Amino acid sequence: MTLAIALLTQDLRLHDNPVLHAARATADEVVPLFVLDPDIAATGFAAPNRAAFLADCLTDLDASLRPLGGRLVLRRGPAAPATARLAAELHAASVHVAAGVSAFAQRREQALRAALGDRLHVHDGSLTAVVPGAVTPAGKDHYAVFTPYFRAWSQAPRRTVHRPPRSLRTPEGIASEPVPTARPDSPALPPGGERAGRRLWRSYERHDLDRYAELHDDLAADATSHLSPYLHFGCLSAAELAAGALRHGGDGAEAFVRQLVWRDFHHQVLAARPQAARQAYRDRGDHWLPEDDEECAAWRAGRTGFPLVDAGMRQLAHEGWMHNRARLVTASFLAKTLYRDWRIGARHFLRLLVDGDLANNQLNWQWVAGTGTDTRPNRVLNPLAQADRLDPDGAYVRRWVPELAHVPGRAVHRPWLLDRRPAGYPDPLVDPAALSDRLRGARGLD
């Protein structure tokens, strides 16, 4: 009787899981394994919000495995030696793991290869819809511009979407750590796990997907899918979502798929340039102002005096999530208006975002800061023009900035013009008139 270990990382699901599928196809018994790796904590990536969501994901996955005859085994320690010890303990014939794109994931794979040799099988296509590196421009290892990548992605062959296993035999008596508990920083996190993610996707596809193209920029409508945490932890398969949306069809589905392609785009950039998580993808010679000052603290706290920026930062603190357009506006304010290093903002976002994905967070920050893949590095998002466009009636601001809840209409975006200044709300960090003069002529968000 043969036994395989399915080492799960960011693929915490039964549906369309290439790692589980391959392990089950090649062995009589399968041990789904998750390693609680202290090296991740040492990187600072095991932030409280994601740790709490992860605990939900692990509990949910174990509960889904048990009716099939399986269960989730948890071990603690650096991933490679912990996995190798379990493989020796169980005389495992093979170990299966999903390919990652970060420098950490690539080092982990190298360590697993050194410990396990040809017993290790690495599976592409688990974390993205199209495998990083599957489509490349002539003579290069990745696309640096989104539009040609989108065209190539649209023509790329798709792998088969795997059905969930009907049964999974896991031996009894394997020692396992308990699921860790974690207290989140944000009070309104969504529930983690595949079952919650699939319920959300089914509801979104049925009720809201058709209007995605119309409403995805509308901050007050809050009509985006909120699926990003489930994609980050692999509770949902990007390949399955793309296939489902393409079957659904229509303008909304096409716009939704484009966002999945944007996610894949950043993953293929980071796979080819892992150093872009810490260094400028394209160095523009910026000399950022110092971090440790009151302006950065005001930005983090949502007290810049620019209501749309403050609303976004307060949503982030409360939910561990922020609407994508608000992310761009708040990031542009820090990097382009306050002229602070994009890494300051990227660290703060990663501390709180439950969907804090290294590829998307770091490279979106660089896109805004002008050090990334954007073909217009001098792009600046005027927070006032963006407020008028993305929150024309001010409903989003009133939802998140209670000091301004009584201010009607779009006047809420310029409280310094009111006859009576709202009590408790700060003055703008930057003079609005001077800001408008400086940004006049700068294009807003395309």
Side-chain angles (χ1 to χ4, degrees), residues 370-437:
T371 67
T373 62
D374 190 11
T375 56
R376 287 170 44 211
N378 295 322
R379 181 196 310 261
V380 180
L381 304 186
N382 182 333
L384 302 180
Q386 293 296 307
D388 291 338
R389 178 190 168 194
L390 303 174
D391 188 30
D393 187 50
Y396 177 75
V397 164
R398 283 188 291 274
R399 184 182 306 157
W400 291 109
V401 186
E403 305 97 304
L404 304 178
H406 66 285
V407 181
R410 65 175 56 199
V412 75
H413 296 307
R414 295 166 176 80
W416 51 86
L417 298 180
L418 298 173
D419 292 337
R420 179 178 297 179
R421 294 290 183 91
Y425 191 66
D427 292 331
L429 289 181
V430 179
D431 178 66
L435 175 67
S436 295
D437 289 342

Side-chain angles (χ1 to χ4, degrees), residues 62-115:
D62 183 61
S64 296
L65 284 165
R66 288 183 181 270
L68 307 181
R71 65 190 181 92
L72 183 63
V73 172
L74 273 68
R75 291 291 174 93
R76 191 177 296 276
T83 304
R85 283 194 297 270
L86 182 62
E89 176 186 325
L90 301 177
H91 305 288
S94 59
V95 174
H96 301 261
V97 68
V101 300
S102 68
F104 181 91
Q106 293 177 27
R107 289 194 301 270
R108 179 178 60 204
E109 182 180 324
Q110 292 167 1
L112 286 166
R113 182 75 64 192

Side-chain angles (χ1 to χ4, degrees), residues 50-326:
R50 288 191 297 281
F53 193 89
L54 172 63
D56 281 356
C57 295
L58 297 175
T59 299
D60 176 80
L61 182 57
D62 183 61
S64 296
L65 284 165
R66 288 183 181 270
L68 307 181
R71 65 190 181 92
L72 183 63
V73 172
L74 273 68
R75 291 291 174 93
R76 191 177 296 276
T83 304
R85 283 194 297 270
L86 182 62
E89 176 186 325
L90 301 177
H91 305 288
S94 59
V95 174
H96 301 261
V97 68
V101 300
S102 68
F104 181 91
Q106 293 177 27
R107 289 194 301 270
R108 179 178 60 204
E109 182 180 324
Q110 292 167 1
L112 286 166
R113 182 75 64 192
L116 297 165
D118 60 8
R119 287 187 295 166
L120 181 69
H121 301 271
V122 180
H123 299 276
D124 292 324
S126 186
L127 309 185
T128 55
V130 169
V131 176
V135 292
T136 56
K140 297 182 180 179
D141 59 359
H142 72 289
Y143 278 93
V145 180
F146 176 72
T147 299
Y149 176 77
F150 178 76
R151 288 195 294 265
W153 187 100
S154 300
Q155 300 301 315
R158 305 282 192 276
R159 67 167 175 80
T160 301
V161 173
H162 302 297
R163 294 179 179 273
R166 294 183 177 180
S167 63
L168 197 76
R169 183 187 303 171
T170 300
E172 296 290 337
I174 302 173
S176 178
E177 295 280 340
V179 173
T181 59
R183 187 170 187 169
D185 280 334
S186 300
L189 293 189
E194 180 180 19
R195 288 179 293 184
R198 293 188 75 81
R199 283 194 300 270
L200 182 59
W201 165 239
R202 287 194 297 267
S203 175
Y204 187 78
E205 183 184 16
R206 186 179 305 118
H207 300 295
D208 300 303
L209 182 59
D210 288 333
R211 300 190 69 195
Y212 180 77
E214 173 190 352
L215 295 176
H216 75 283
D217 281 351
D218 188 331
L219 290 172
D222 196 23
T224 59
S225 70
H226 290 254
L227 294 173
S228 53
Y230 303 96
L231 281 166
H232 170 65
F233 284 92
C235 305
L236 295 174
S237 155
E240 185 181 11
L241 290 187
L246 290 169
R247 281 196 307 271
H248 185 100
D251 292 343
E254 289 180 9
F256 177 83
V257 169
R258 191 177 180 88
Q259 295 306 309
L260 292 174
V261 183
W262 184 249
R263 179 179 183 271
D264 277 11
F265 172 70
H266 282 154
H267 278 78
Q268 60 95 39
V269 171
L270 191 64
R273 300 288 184 272
Q275 67 272 21
R278 302 176 306 278
Q279 302 171 11
Y281 180 82
R282 292 190 175 109
D283 193 344
R284 308 289 182 184
D286 290 289
H287 297 285
W288 310 101
L289 296 176
E291 170 184 2
D292 189 17
D293 63 5
E294 294 180 1
E295 289 188 349
C296 288
W299 177 83
R300 293 187 187 98
R303 293 189 60 78
T304 67
F306 286 84
L308 183 61
V309 174
D310 294 342
M313 297 305 293
R314 295 185 193 191
Q315 182 183 22
L316 172 62
H318 185 76
E319 294 188 342
W321 186 88
M322 195 197 308
H323 192 289
N324 181 56
R325 293 300 179 258

Side-chain angles (χ1 to χ4, degrees), residues 348-372:
H348 181 71
F349 273 29
L350 281 181
R351 188 175 73 80
L352 291 176
L353 283 172
V354 70
D355 64 5
D357 180 273
L358 194 66
N360 285 292
N361 186 70
Q362 307 302 90
L363 290 169
N364 269 313
W365 266 96
Q366 292 214 50
W367 185 90
V368 169
T371 67

